[in-house]
Every structure is written in C-alpha cells, then in structure tokens.
Coordinates of all heavy atoms in Angstrom, one line a residue:
M24 N -21.9 0.6 -10.9 CA -21.7 0.0 -9.6 C -20.4 0.7 -9.0 O -19.4 0.8 -9.6 CB -21.4 -1.5 -9.7 CG -21.0 -2.1 -8.4 SD -20.6 -3.9 -8.5 CE -21.9 -4.6 -9.5
P25 N -20.6 1.2 -7.8 CA -19.4 1.9 -7.1 C -18.3 0.9 -6.8 O -18.6 -0.3 -6.5 CB -20.0 2.5 -5.9 CG -21.3 1.8 -5.6 CD -21.7 1.3 -6.9
K26 N -17.1 1.4 -6.8 CA -16.0 0.6 -6.4 C -16.0 0.3 -4.9 O -16.7 1.0 -4.1 CB -14.7 1.4 -6.7 CG -14.5 1.5 -8.2 CD -13.1 1.9 -8.6 CE -13.0 2.1 -10.1 NZ -12.5 0.9 -10.7
G27 N -15.3 -0.7 -4.5 CA -15.2 -1.0 -3.1 C -13.7 -0.7 -2.6 O -12.8 -0.9 -3.4
Y28 N -13.6 -0.3 -1.3 CA -12.3 0.0 -0.8 C -12.2 -0.6 0.6 O -13.1 -0.7 1.3 CB -12.2 1.6 -0.6 CG -12.3 2.3 -1.9 CD1 -13.5 2.7 -2.4 CD2 -11.1 2.6 -2.6 CE1 -13.6 3.3 -3.6 CE2 -11.2 3.2 -3.9 CZ -12.4 3.6 -4.4 OH -12.5 4.2 -5.6
I29 N -11.0 -1.1 0.8 CA -10.6 -1.6 2.1 C -9.6 -0.7 2.7 O -8.6 -0.3 2.0 CB -10.1 -3.1 2.1 CG1 -11.2 -4.0 1.7 CG2 -9.4 -3.5 3.4 CD1 -10.8 -5.5 1.6
I30 N -9.9 -0.2 3.9 CA -9.0 0.7 4.6 C -8.5 0.0 5.9 O -9.3 -0.5 6.7 CB -9.6 2.0 5.0 CG1 -10.2 2.7 3.7 CG2 -8.7 3.0 5.7 CD1 -11.2 3.8 4.0
I31 N -7.2 -0.1 6.0 CA -6.6 -0.8 7.2 C -5.7 0.2 7.9 O -4.8 0.8 7.2 CB -5.9 -2.1 6.8 CG1 -6.8 -3.1 6.1 CG2 -5.2 -2.7 8.0 CD1 -6.2 -4.3 5.6
T32 N -5.8 0.3 9.2 CA -4.8 1.1 10.0 C -4.1 0.1 10.8 O -4.6 -0.9 11.3 CB -5.5 2.2 10.9 OG1 -6.4 1.5 11.8 CG2 -6.3 3.2 10.0
E33 N -2.8 0.3 10.9 CA -1.9 -0.6 11.6 C -0.9 0.1 12.5 O -0.4 1.1 12.1 CB -1.1 -1.4 10.5 CG -1.9 -2.0 9.5 CD -1.1 -2.5 8.2 OE1 -0.2 -1.8 7.8 OE2 -1.5 -3.6 7.7
T34 N -0.7 -0.5 13.6 CA 0.5 -0.2 14.5 C 1.4 -1.4 14.4 O 1.1 -2.5 14.9 CB 0.1 0.1 15.9 OG1 -0.8 1.2 15.9 CG2 1.3 0.4 16.8
I35 N 2.5 -1.2 13.6 CA 3.4 -2.3 13.4 C 4.3 -2.6 14.6 O 5.0 -1.7 15.1 CB 4.2 -2.0 12.1 CG1 3.3 -1.9 10.9 CG2 5.3 -3.1 11.8 CD1 3.9 -1.4 9.6
K36 N 4.3 -3.8 15.0 CA 5.1 -4.3 16.1 C 6.3 -5.1 15.7 O 7.3 -5.2 16.4 CB 4.3 -5.1 17.1 CG 3.1 -4.5 17.6 CD 2.3 -5.4 18.6 CE 1.7 -6.5 17.8 NZ 0.8 -7.4 18.5
D37 N 6.3 -5.6 14.5 CA 7.3 -6.5 14.0 C 7.5 -6.2 12.5 O 6.7 -6.7 11.6 CB 6.9 -8.0 14.2 CG 7.9 -9.0 13.6 OD1 8.9 -8.6 13.1 OD2 7.5 -10.2 13.7
A38 N 8.5 -5.4 12.1 CA 8.7 -5.1 10.7 C 9.0 -6.3 9.8 O 8.5 -6.3 8.7 CB 9.9 -4.0 10.6
A39 N 9.8 -7.2 10.3 CA 10.1 -8.4 9.5 C 8.9 -9.2 9.3 O 8.6 -9.8 8.2 CB 11.2 -9.2 10.2
G40 N 8.0 -9.3 10.3 CA 6.7 -10.0 10.2 C 5.8 -9.3 9.2 O 5.1 -10.0 8.4
M41 N 5.8 -8.0 9.1 CA 5.0 -7.3 8.1 C 5.6 -7.5 6.7 O 4.8 -7.6 5.8 CB 5.0 -5.8 8.5 CG 4.0 -5.5 9.6 SD 2.3 -6.0 9.3 CE 1.7 -4.8 8.1
A42 N 6.9 -7.6 6.6 CA 7.5 -7.9 5.3 C 7.0 -9.2 4.8 O 6.7 -9.4 3.6 CB 9.0 -7.8 5.4
A43 N 7.0 -10.2 5.7 CA 6.5 -11.6 5.4 C 5.1 -11.5 5.0 O 4.6 -12.2 4.0 CB 6.8 -12.5 6.5
Y44 N 4.3 -10.8 5.7 CA 2.9 -10.6 5.4 C 2.7 -10.0 4.0 O 1.9 -10.5 3.2 CB 2.1 -9.7 6.4 CG 0.9 -9.2 5.9 CD1 -0.3 -10.0 5.7 CD2 0.8 -7.8 5.5 CE1 -1.4 -9.5 5.2 CE2 -0.4 -7.3 5.0 CZ -1.5 -8.1 4.9 OH -2.7 -7.6 4.4
A45 N 3.4 -8.9 3.7 CA 3.3 -8.3 2.4 C 3.6 -9.2 1.3 O 2.9 -9.2 0.2 CB 4.2 -7.0 2.4
K46 N 4.7 -10.0 1.5 CA 5.0 -11.0 0.4 C 3.9 -12.0 0.2 O 3.6 -12.3 -0.9 CB 6.3 -11.7 0.8 CG 6.9 -12.6 -0.2 CD 8.2 -13.2 0.2 CE 8.7 -14.2 -0.8 NZ 10.0 -14.8 -0.4
A47 N 3.3 -12.5 1.3 CA 2.3 -13.5 1.3 C 1.0 -12.9 0.7 O 0.2 -13.6 0.0 CB 2.0 -14.1 2.7
A48 N 0.7 -11.6 1.0 CA -0.6 -11.0 0.5 C -0.5 -10.6 -0.9 O -1.6 -10.5 -1.6 CB -0.9 -9.8 1.4
T49 N 0.7 -10.4 -1.5 CA 0.8 -9.8 -2.8 C 0.1 -10.7 -3.9 O -0.6 -10.2 -4.7 CB 2.3 -9.6 -3.2 OG1 2.8 -8.6 -2.3 CG2 2.5 -9.1 -4.6
A50 N 0.3 -12.0 -3.8 CA -0.3 -12.9 -4.8 C -1.9 -12.8 -4.7 O -2.5 -12.7 -5.8 CB 0.1 -14.3 -4.6
S51 N -2.4 -12.8 -3.5 CA -3.9 -12.7 -3.4 C -4.4 -11.4 -3.9 O -5.5 -11.3 -4.6 CB -4.3 -12.9 -2.0 OG -4.0 -11.8 -1.1
L52 N -3.7 -10.3 -3.7 CA -4.1 -9.0 -4.3 C -4.1 -9.0 -5.8 O -5.0 -8.5 -6.4 CB -3.2 -7.9 -3.7 CG -3.4 -7.5 -2.3 CD1 -2.3 -6.6 -1.8 CD2 -4.8 -6.8 -2.1
A53 N -3.0 -9.6 -6.4 CA -2.9 -9.7 -7.8 C -4.1 -10.5 -8.4 O -4.7 -10.1 -9.4 CB -1.6 -10.2 -8.2
E54 N -4.4 -11.6 -7.8 CA -5.5 -12.5 -8.2 C -6.8 -11.8 -8.2 O -7.7 -12.0 -9.0 CB -5.6 -13.7 -7.3 CG -4.4 -14.7 -7.5 CD -4.4 -15.7 -6.3 OE1 -5.4 -15.8 -5.6 OE2 -3.4 -16.5 -6.3
S55 N -7.0 -10.9 -7.2 CA -8.3 -10.2 -7.1 C -8.4 -9.0 -8.0 O -9.5 -8.4 -8.1 CB -8.4 -9.7 -5.6 OG -7.6 -8.6 -5.4
G56 N -7.3 -8.5 -8.6 CA -7.4 -7.3 -9.4 C -7.4 -6.0 -8.6 O -7.7 -5.0 -9.1
A57 N -7.0 -6.1 -7.4 CA -7.0 -4.9 -6.5 C -5.9 -4.0 -6.9 O -4.9 -4.4 -7.5 CB -6.8 -5.4 -5.0
K58 N -6.1 -2.7 -6.6 CA -5.1 -1.7 -6.7 C -4.7 -1.2 -5.3 O -5.6 -0.9 -4.5 CB -5.6 -0.5 -7.5 CG -5.9 -0.8 -9.0 CD -6.3 0.5 -9.7 CE -6.7 0.2 -11.1 NZ -7.3 1.4 -11.7
V59 N -3.5 -1.2 -5.0 CA -3.0 -0.6 -3.8 C -2.9 0.9 -4.0 O -2.0 1.3 -4.8 CB -1.6 -1.2 -3.3 CG1 -1.2 -0.6 -2.0 CG2 -1.8 -2.7 -3.2
L60 N -3.7 1.7 -3.4 CA -3.7 3.1 -3.6 C -2.9 3.8 -2.6 O -2.3 4.9 -3.0 CB -5.2 3.7 -3.5 CG -6.2 3.1 -4.5 CD1 -7.5 3.8 -4.3 CD2 -5.7 3.4 -5.9
V61 N -2.8 3.3 -1.4 CA -2.1 4.0 -0.3 C -1.4 3.0 0.6 O -2.0 2.1 1.0 CB -3.0 4.9 0.5 CG1 -2.3 5.5 1.7 CG2 -3.7 6.0 -0.3
V62 N -0.1 3.3 0.9 CA 0.6 2.6 2.0 C 1.4 3.8 2.6 O 2.4 4.2 2.1 CB 1.5 1.5 1.6 CG1 2.2 0.9 2.8 CG2 0.7 0.4 0.9
D63 N 0.8 4.4 3.7 CA 1.4 5.6 4.2 C 1.8 5.4 5.7 O 1.0 5.2 6.5 CB 0.4 6.8 4.2 CG 1.0 8.1 4.5 OD1 2.1 8.1 5.1 OD2 0.4 9.1 4.2
P64 N 3.1 5.4 5.9 CA 3.6 5.1 7.3 C 3.5 6.4 8.2 O 3.9 6.3 9.3 CB 5.1 4.7 7.1 CG 5.5 5.4 5.8 CD 4.2 5.5 5.0
G65 N 3.0 7.5 7.7 CA 2.9 8.7 8.5 C 1.7 9.5 8.2 O 1.9 10.7 7.8
P66 N 0.5 9.0 8.3 CA -0.7 9.8 7.9 C -0.8 11.0 8.8 O -0.5 11.0 10.0 CB -1.9 8.8 8.1 CG -1.4 7.8 9.1 CD 0.1 7.7 8.8
E67 N -1.2 12.1 8.2 CA -1.5 13.3 9.0 C -2.9 13.4 9.5 O -3.8 13.4 8.7 CB -1.2 14.6 8.1 CG -1.4 15.9 8.8 CD -1.2 17.1 7.9 OE1 -0.6 16.9 6.8 OE2 -1.5 18.2 8.3
V68 N -3.1 13.4 10.8 CA -4.4 13.4 11.4 C -4.9 14.8 11.3 O -4.3 15.7 11.9 CB -4.4 12.8 12.8 CG1 -5.8 12.9 13.4 CG2 -3.9 11.4 12.8
L69 N -6.1 15.0 10.7 CA -6.7 16.3 10.6 C -7.7 16.5 11.7 O -7.9 17.7 12.1 CB -7.4 16.5 9.2 CG -6.5 16.3 8.0 CD1 -7.3 16.4 6.7 CD2 -5.4 17.4 8.1
E70 N -8.4 15.5 12.1 CA -9.4 15.6 13.1 C -9.5 14.3 14.0 O -9.3 13.3 13.4 CB -10.8 15.9 12.5 CG -10.9 17.2 11.8 CD -12.4 17.4 11.3 OE1 -13.3 16.9 11.8 OE2 -12.5 18.2 10.3
G71 N -9.9 14.5 15.2 CA -10.1 13.3 16.1 C -8.8 12.5 16.3 O -7.7 13.0 16.2
E72 N -9.1 11.2 16.5 CA -8.0 10.3 16.8 C -7.9 9.3 15.6 O -9.0 8.9 15.1 CB -8.2 9.5 18.1 CG -8.1 10.5 19.3 CD -8.3 9.7 20.6 OE1 -8.0 8.5 20.7 OE2 -8.8 10.4 21.6
W73 N -6.7 8.9 15.3 CA -6.5 7.9 14.2 C -5.7 6.7 14.8 O -4.7 7.0 15.4 CB -5.8 8.5 13.0 CG -5.8 7.7 11.8 CD1 -4.8 7.0 11.3 CD2 -6.9 7.5 10.9 NE1 -5.2 6.4 10.1 CE2 -6.5 6.7 9.9 CE3 -8.3 8.0 10.9 CZ2 -7.3 6.3 8.8 CZ3 -9.1 7.6 9.8 CH2 -8.6 6.8 8.8
H74 N -6.2 5.5 14.5 CA -5.5 4.4 15.0 C -4.3 4.1 14.1 O -4.3 4.2 12.9 CB -6.4 3.1 15.0 CG -5.6 1.9 15.2 ND1 -5.2 1.1 14.1 CD2 -5.2 1.2 16.3 CE1 -4.6 0.0 14.6 NE2 -4.5 0.1 15.9
G75 N -3.2 3.7 14.7 CA -2.1 3.2 14.0 C -1.1 4.2 13.5 O -1.3 5.4 13.5
T76 N 0.0 3.7 13.0 CA 1.1 4.5 12.4 C 1.2 4.3 10.9 O 2.0 5.0 10.3 CB 2.4 4.1 13.1 OG1 2.6 2.7 12.9 CG2 2.4 4.5 14.5
Q77 N 0.4 3.4 10.4 CA 0.4 3.2 8.9 C -1.0 3.0 8.5 O -1.8 2.3 9.1 CB 1.2 1.9 8.6 CG 1.2 1.6 7.1 CD 2.3 0.7 6.7 OE1 3.5 1.1 6.5 NE2 2.0 -0.6 6.6
T78 N -1.3 3.6 7.3 CA -2.7 3.4 6.8 C -2.5 2.8 5.4 O -1.7 3.3 4.6 CB -3.4 4.8 6.7 OG1 -3.5 5.3 8.0 CG2 -4.8 4.6 6.1
V79 N -3.4 1.9 5.0 CA -3.4 1.2 3.7 C -4.8 1.3 3.1 O -5.8 1.1 3.8 CB -3.0 -0.3 3.9 CG1 -3.1 -1.0 2.5 CG2 -1.6 -0.4 4.5
V80 N -4.9 1.7 1.9 CA -6.1 1.8 1.1 C -6.0 0.9 -0.1 O -5.1 1.1 -0.9 CB -6.5 3.2 0.8 CG1 -7.8 3.3 0.0 CG2 -6.5 4.1 2.0
L81 N -6.9 0.0 -0.2 CA -7.0 -0.9 -1.4 C -8.3 -0.6 -2.2 O -9.3 -0.4 -1.6 CB -7.0 -2.4 -0.9 CG -5.9 -2.8 0.0 CD1 -6.1 -4.2 0.5 CD2 -4.5 -2.7 -0.7
E82 N -8.2 -0.7 -3.5 CA -9.4 -0.4 -4.3 C -9.7 -1.7 -5.1 O -8.9 -2.4 -5.6 CB -9.1 0.7 -5.4 CG -10.2 1.0 -6.3 CD -9.9 2.0 -7.3 OE1 -9.1 1.6 -8.3 OE2 -10.4 3.1 -7.2
F83 N -11.0 -2.0 -5.1 CA -11.6 -3.2 -5.8 C -12.7 -2.7 -6.7 O -13.2 -1.6 -6.6 CB -12.1 -4.2 -4.8 CG -11.1 -4.7 -3.9 CD1 -10.7 -4.0 -2.8 CD2 -10.5 -5.9 -4.2 CE1 -9.7 -4.5 -1.9 CE2 -9.5 -6.5 -3.3 CZ -9.1 -5.8 -2.2
E84 N -13.1 -3.6 -7.7 CA -14.1 -3.2 -8.6 C -15.5 -3.0 -7.9 O -16.3 -2.3 -8.5 CB -14.2 -4.3 -9.7 CG -13.1 -4.3 -10.7 CD -13.0 -2.9 -11.4 OE1 -14.0 -2.4 -11.9 OE2 -11.9 -2.3 -11.5
S85 N -15.7 -3.6 -6.8 CA -16.9 -3.5 -6.1 C -16.7 -3.9 -4.6 O -15.7 -4.5 -4.2 CB -18.0 -4.4 -6.7 OG -17.6 -5.7 -6.5
V86 N -17.7 -3.6 -3.8 CA -17.7 -4.0 -2.4 C -17.7 -5.6 -2.3 O -16.9 -6.2 -1.6 CB -18.9 -3.5 -1.6 CG1 -19.0 -4.2 -0.2 CG2 -18.7 -2.0 -1.4
A87 N -18.4 -6.2 -3.2 CA -18.5 -7.7 -3.3 C -17.1 -8.2 -3.6 O -16.6 -9.2 -3.0 CB -19.5 -8.2 -4.3
A88 N -16.4 -7.6 -4.5 CA -15.0 -8.0 -4.9 C -14.0 -7.8 -3.7 O -13.2 -8.7 -3.5 CB -14.5 -7.3 -6.1
A89 N -14.2 -6.7 -2.9 CA -13.4 -6.5 -1.8 C -13.6 -7.6 -0.7 O -12.7 -8.2 -0.2 CB -13.7 -5.1 -1.2
K90 N -14.9 -7.9 -0.5 CA -15.2 -9.0 0.5 C -14.7 -10.3 0.0 O -14.2 -11.1 0.8 CB -16.7 -9.1 0.7 CG -17.3 -8.0 1.6 CD -18.8 -8.2 1.8 CE -19.4 -7.2 2.6 NZ -20.8 -7.4 2.9
A91 N -14.8 -10.6 -1.3 CA -14.3 -11.9 -1.8 C -12.8 -12.0 -1.6 O -12.3 -13.1 -1.3 CB -14.7 -12.0 -3.3
W92 N -12.1 -10.9 -1.8 CA -10.6 -11.0 -1.6 C -10.4 -11.2 -0.1 O -9.6 -12.1 0.2 CB -9.9 -9.7 -2.0 CG -8.5 -9.6 -1.5 CD1 -7.5 -10.3 -2.0 CD2 -8.1 -8.9 -0.4 NE1 -6.3 -10.0 -1.2 CE2 -6.7 -9.2 -0.2 CE3 -8.6 -8.0 0.6 CZ2 -5.9 -8.6 0.8 CZ3 -7.9 -7.5 1.6 CH2 -6.5 -7.8 1.7
Y93 N -11.0 -10.5 0.8 CA -10.7 -10.6 2.2 C -11.0 -12.0 2.7 O -10.4 -12.5 3.6 CB -11.5 -9.5 3.0 CG -11.2 -9.5 4.4 CD1 -10.0 -8.9 4.9 CD2 -12.0 -10.1 5.4 CE1 -9.7 -8.8 6.2 CE2 -11.7 -10.1 6.7 CZ -10.5 -9.4 7.1 OH -10.2 -9.4 8.5
E94 N -12.1 -12.6 2.1 CA -12.5 -14.0 2.6 C -11.8 -15.1 1.8 O -12.0 -16.2 2.0 CB -14.0 -14.1 2.5 CG -14.7 -13.1 3.5 CD -16.2 -13.0 3.3 OE1 -16.7 -13.6 2.4 OE2 -16.8 -12.3 4.1
S95 N -11.0 -14.7 0.8 CA -10.4 -15.7 -0.1 C -9.5 -16.7 0.6 O -8.9 -16.3 1.6 CB -9.7 -15.1 -1.3 OG -8.5 -14.4 -0.8
E96 N -9.4 -17.8 0.1 CA -8.5 -18.8 0.7 C -7.0 -18.4 0.6 O -6.3 -18.5 1.6 CB -8.6 -20.2 -0.1 CG -7.8 -21.3 0.5 CD -8.0 -22.6 -0.2 OE1 -9.1 -22.9 -0.7 OE2 -7.0 -23.4 -0.3
S97 N -6.6 -17.7 -0.4 CA -5.2 -17.2 -0.5 C -5.0 -16.1 0.5 O -3.9 -16.1 1.1 CB -4.9 -16.8 -1.9 OG -5.7 -15.7 -2.4
Y98 N -5.9 -15.2 0.7 CA -5.7 -14.2 1.7 C -5.8 -14.7 3.1 O -5.1 -14.2 4.0 CB -6.6 -13.0 1.6 CG -6.2 -11.9 2.5 CD1 -5.0 -11.3 2.4 CD2 -7.0 -11.5 3.6 CE1 -4.6 -10.3 3.3 CE2 -6.6 -10.5 4.5 CZ -5.4 -9.9 4.3 OH -5.0 -9.0 5.2
Q99 N -6.6 -15.8 3.4 CA -6.6 -16.3 4.7 C -5.3 -16.9 5.2 O -5.0 -16.9 6.4 CB -7.7 -17.4 4.7 CG -9.1 -16.9 4.5 CD -9.5 -15.8 5.4 OE1 -9.4 -15.9 6.6 NE2 -9.8 -14.6 4.8
K100 N -4.4 -17.3 4.2 CA -3.1 -17.7 4.6 C -2.2 -16.6 5.0 O -1.3 -16.8 5.8 CB -2.5 -18.5 3.4 CG -3.2 -19.8 3.1 CD -2.7 -20.4 1.8 CE -3.5 -21.6 1.4 NZ -3.1 -22.2 0.1
A101 N -2.4 -15.4 4.4 CA -1.6 -14.2 4.7 C -2.0 -13.5 6.0 O -1.2 -13.0 6.7 CB -1.6 -13.3 3.5
K102 N -3.3 -13.4 6.2 CA -3.9 -12.6 7.3 C -3.3 -12.8 8.7 O -3.0 -11.9 9.4 CB -5.4 -12.7 7.3 CG -6.1 -11.7 8.2 CD -7.6 -11.7 8.0 CE -8.3 -13.0 8.1 NZ -9.7 -12.9 8.1
P103 N -3.1 -14.1 9.1 CA -2.5 -14.3 10.4 C -1.1 -13.7 10.6 O -0.7 -13.3 11.7 CB -2.4 -15.8 10.5 CG -3.5 -16.3 9.6 CD -3.5 -15.3 8.4
L104 N -0.4 -13.6 9.5 CA 0.9 -12.9 9.5 C 0.8 -11.5 9.9 O 1.6 -10.9 10.7 CB 1.7 -13.1 8.2 CG 2.0 -14.5 7.8 CD1 2.6 -14.5 6.4 CD2 2.9 -15.2 8.8
R105 N -0.2 -10.8 9.4 CA -0.4 -9.4 9.7 C -0.9 -9.3 11.2 O -0.4 -8.4 11.9 CB -1.5 -8.8 8.8 CG -1.8 -7.3 9.1 CD -2.7 -6.6 8.1 NE -3.9 -7.3 7.7 CZ -5.0 -7.3 8.5 NH1 -5.1 -6.7 9.6 NH2 -6.0 -8.0 8.0
H106 N -1.8 -10.2 11.6 CA -2.3 -10.1 12.9 C -1.1 -10.3 14.0 O -1.2 -9.7 15.0 CB -3.4 -11.2 13.2 CG -4.6 -10.8 12.5 ND1 -5.7 -11.7 12.4 CD2 -5.1 -9.6 11.9 CE1 -6.7 -11.1 11.7 NE2 -6.3 -9.9 11.4
A107 N -0.2 -11.2 13.6 CA 1.0 -11.4 14.5 C 1.9 -10.2 14.5 O 2.6 -10.0 15.5 CB 1.7 -12.7 14.1
A108 N 2.0 -9.5 13.4 CA 3.0 -8.4 13.3 C 2.5 -7.0 13.6 O 3.3 -6.1 13.8 CB 3.6 -8.4 11.9
A109 N 1.2 -6.9 13.7 CA 0.6 -5.5 13.9 C -0.7 -5.6 14.6 O -1.5 -6.5 14.5 CB 0.5 -4.8 12.5
E110 N -1.0 -4.5 15.2 CA -2.4 -4.2 15.7 C -3.1 -3.5 14.6 O -2.7 -2.5 14.1 CB -2.4 -3.4 17.0 CG -1.7 -4.1 18.1 CD -1.6 -3.1 19.3 OE1 -2.2 -2.0 19.3 OE2 -0.9 -3.5 20.3
S111 N -4.2 -4.1 14.1 CA -4.9 -3.6 12.9 C -6.4 -3.3 13.1 O -7.0 -4.1 13.9 CB -4.7 -4.6 11.8 OG -3.4 -4.9 11.5
N112 N -6.9 -2.3 12.4 CA -8.3 -2.1 12.3 C -8.6 -2.1 10.8 O -7.7 -1.6 10.0 CB -8.7 -0.8 12.9 CG -8.7 -0.8 14.4 OD1 -8.8 -1.8 15.1 ND2 -8.5 0.4 15.0
G113 N -9.7 -2.6 10.4 CA -10.0 -2.6 9.0 C -11.5 -2.4 8.7 O -12.3 -2.8 9.5
V114 N -11.8 -1.7 7.6 CA -13.2 -1.6 7.1 C -13.3 -1.8 5.6 O -12.3 -1.6 4.9 CB -13.7 -0.2 7.5 CG1 -13.9 0.0 9.0 CG2 -12.9 1.0 6.8
I115 N -14.5 -2.1 5.2 CA -14.8 -2.1 3.7 C -15.8 -1.0 3.5 O -16.8 -0.9 4.3 CB -15.4 -3.5 3.3 CG1 -14.3 -4.6 3.4 CG2 -15.9 -3.4 1.8 CD1 -14.9 -6.0 3.0
V116 N -15.6 -0.2 2.6 CA -16.5 0.9 2.3 C -16.8 1.0 0.8 O -16.0 0.5 0.0 CB -15.9 2.3 2.7 CG1 -15.7 2.4 4.2 CG2 -14.6 2.6 2.0
S117 N -18.0 1.5 0.5 CA -18.4 1.7 -0.9 C -18.0 3.0 -1.4 O -18.2 4.0 -0.7 CB -19.9 1.5 -0.9 OG -20.4 1.7 -2.2
G118 N -17.5 3.0 -2.6 CA -17.2 4.3 -3.3 C -18.4 5.2 -3.5 O -19.5 4.7 -3.5
F119 N -18.2 6.4 -3.7 CA -19.2 7.4 -3.9 C -19.2 7.9 -5.4 O -18.1 8.3 -5.8 CB -19.1 8.6 -2.9 CG -20.1 9.6 -3.1 CD1 -21.4 9.4 -2.7 CD2 -19.8 10.8 -3.7 CE1 -22.4 10.4 -2.8 CE2 -20.8 11.8 -3.9 CZ -22.1 11.6 -3.4
E120 N -20.3 8.0 -6.0 CA -20.3 8.5 -7.4 C -21.1 9.8 -7.3 O -22.3 9.8 -6.9 CB -21.0 7.5 -8.3 CG -20.1 6.3 -8.5 CD -20.7 5.2 -9.4 OE1 -21.7 5.6 -10.1 OE2 -20.2 4.1 -9.5
M121 N -20.5 10.9 -7.6 CA -21.1 12.2 -7.6 C -22.2 12.3 -8.6 O -22.0 12.0 -9.8 CB -20.1 13.3 -7.8 CG -20.6 14.7 -7.7 SD -21.0 15.2 -6.0 CE -19.4 15.6 -5.4
P122 N -23.4 12.7 -8.2 CA -24.5 12.8 -9.1 C -24.2 14.0 -10.1 O -23.5 14.9 -9.7 CB -25.7 13.2 -8.3 CG -25.3 13.1 -6.9 CD -23.8 13.0 -6.8
S123 N -24.6 13.8 -11.3 CA -24.3 14.9 -12.3 C -25.1 16.1 -12.0 O -26.3 16.0 -11.6 CB -24.5 14.4 -13.7 OG -25.9 14.0 -13.9
A124 N -24.5 17.2 -12.2 CA -25.3 18.5 -12.0 C -26.2 18.8 -13.2 O -25.8 18.6 -14.3 CB -24.3 19.6 -11.9
G125 N -27.4 19.2 -12.8 CA -28.3 19.6 -13.9 C -29.3 18.6 -14.2 O -30.1 18.0 -14.6

C-alpha cells in the first residue's frame, strides 16, 4: 500500500499564531504516526506559480491514515489556528511505487 502525503502551502500572516498552531498540531501528528518531511519557508519555484511562502509535507502510512489525521478530533482543534494565522492550500496525495524493472 502506498504511503499518503499531505502537502500544505501557506502564506503566514501571523507568526505568533502559527507558533500556537504548531504547538496545538504536534500532539495530533504524534498520535497519527505522521512524519514531518518538509517545513520550508523558502521553496524554490521551478515552474509555474506556487502559492505561499512556506511549504509543509507530511508523510503517513496511507492515504486513509492521512485523511484520518486531517479529520481527527485532535486536529480539528488545531486547524482553526492555522486558518486564522495563514492563507493555506492543502492536498492529500498517494505515494508512487516504482514498478520493478524486468
């Protein structure tokens, strides 16, 4: 089963508010078994347009696990803090497993 990833792009309007969000979200991430792969405040755009000034990539055991975290009661308490502190876009994507050659 491929891993699931959540990618969030953010334009932060309130740094203190984002710090409060990060503190609130940490417990829910730990409960879900997620790995924080990327928190980049300066992504380099290679093509097209990219929303935001910060990009976050989270890894989960599956797409179902990613959805379960996003919809969890503990994360629902943290999410409004992010919405208040930043303009955000987010997606859930399925990991890709390269077929074996031969």
Side-chain angles (χ1 to χ4, degrees):
M24 176 184 314
K26 296 197 181 261
Y28 298 87
I29 292 182
I30 303 168
I31 299 174
T32 60
E33 306 166 321
T34 298
I35 298 170
K36 303 179 291 184
D37 174 7
M41 281 303 285
Y44 160 74
K46 184 176 179 180
T49 297
S51 69
L52 286 167
E54 291 168 8
S55 73
K58 292 182 185 175
V59 179
L60 299 180
V61 175
V62 178
D63 189 341
E67 179 180 350
V68 178
L69 299 176
E70 295 184 24
E72 296 181 26
W73 193 255
H74 166 265
T76 55
Q77 178 165 279
T78 300
V79 176
V80 180
L81 307 173
E82 180 184 73
F83 296 83
E84 286 302 312
S85 64
V86 168
K90 283 184 181 182
W92 168 76
Y93 187 78
E94 296 171 354
S95 71
E96 185 176 326
S97 61
Y98 186 64
Q99 294 309 303
K100 294 174 185 174
K102 188 168 52 171
L104 297 173
R105 179 172 50 82
H106 288 170
E110 295 175 10
S111 303
N112 290 333
V114 295
I115 295 176
V116 296
S117 179
F119 179 76
E120 296 180 11
M121 184 68 82
S123 60

